[in-house]
Amino acid sequence: MNDYSKTVAALKRRGYEATAVSTKEAAAALVLQEAESAQSVGWGGSESVKALGVRDALAAAGKEIRDHQTTMDLFLLSANALTEDGVIVNIDGTGNRVAASIYGPKRVVYVIGRNKLVAGGVWEAVNRAKRCACGPNCRRLGKRTPCAETNLCADCDSPDRICKVTAIFDRCPSRTPTRVILVDEPLGY
């Protein structure tokens, strides 16, 4: 496993609970453990969390699962990018996913694959999100944008544009206990 101790320590300094694991299976076990006391689980539309295969297990355990909800006991999502010094960056079209990660749920858990970790600062993280996540997400969602076709951000004015809201998390939000699980595997876009 890669050494994520610097990033884990940085996340902890920034007020997050942080853990690094080797595999998505280990991450799935932690997510299921987090969900044990939750009655409802919000789902941030994350391909990274989807890759863990926990949604069916949560439903089978009787958890109410909703997409993009701010009133859940637990909200699961990923980040578009994470800097080595612990800054989380998410880009969203509507803002509902980032809103739920800021305020509302009783607890938030990020699952972030190694492919989303950037060595540089915030602007490298924003660029990574636009370069690596926006095009594939537009294609997945059936959006008609230049990046869906070329995989290059054109800073377009398309009504289908999904990069409308950029949230930069310098610190863990004050009233939202948040855990970050770093996974030493590529997950999502």
Side-chain angles (χ1 to χ4, degrees), residues 47 128-143 145 147-149 151-152 162 188-189:
E47 291 297 300
R128 188 243 172 252
K130 288 186 177 189
R131 187 180 67 248
C132 300
C134 291
N137 274 315
C138 280
R139 284 190 295 281
R140 175 177 64 89
L141 297 169
K143 302 293 184 179
T145 61
C147 68
E149 294 178 25
N151 217 35
L152 299 171
I162 65 168
Y189 310 125

Side-chain angles (χ1 to χ4, degrees), residues 96-180:
N96 54 348
R97 176 176 62 108
V98 295
S101 65
I102 296 168
Y103 185 80
K106 293 178 183 171
R107 187 149 173 80
V108 170
V109 174
Y110 283 90
V111 178
I112 303 173
R114 71 172 176 229
N115 54 314
K116 297 181 180 185
L117 193 61
V118 298
V122 170
W123 295 117
E124 184 179 338
V126 170
N127 288 332
R128 188 243 172 252
K130 288 186 177 189
R131 187 180 67 248
C132 300
C134 291
N137 274 315
C138 280
R139 284 190 295 281
R140 175 177 64 89
L141 297 169
K143 302 293 184 179
R144 294 182 179 167
T145 61
C147 68
E149 294 178 25
T150 66
N151 217 35
L152 299 171
C153 179
D155 195 21
C156 70
D157 290 321
S158 170
D160 275 354
R161 179 180 173 142
I162 65 168
C163 53
K164 295 179 179 178
V165 177
T166 301
I168 299 169
F169 293 79
D170 286 317
R171 302 281 187 279
C172 182
S174 297
R175 296 183 179 158
T176 307
T178 303
R179 181 176 192 178
V180 177

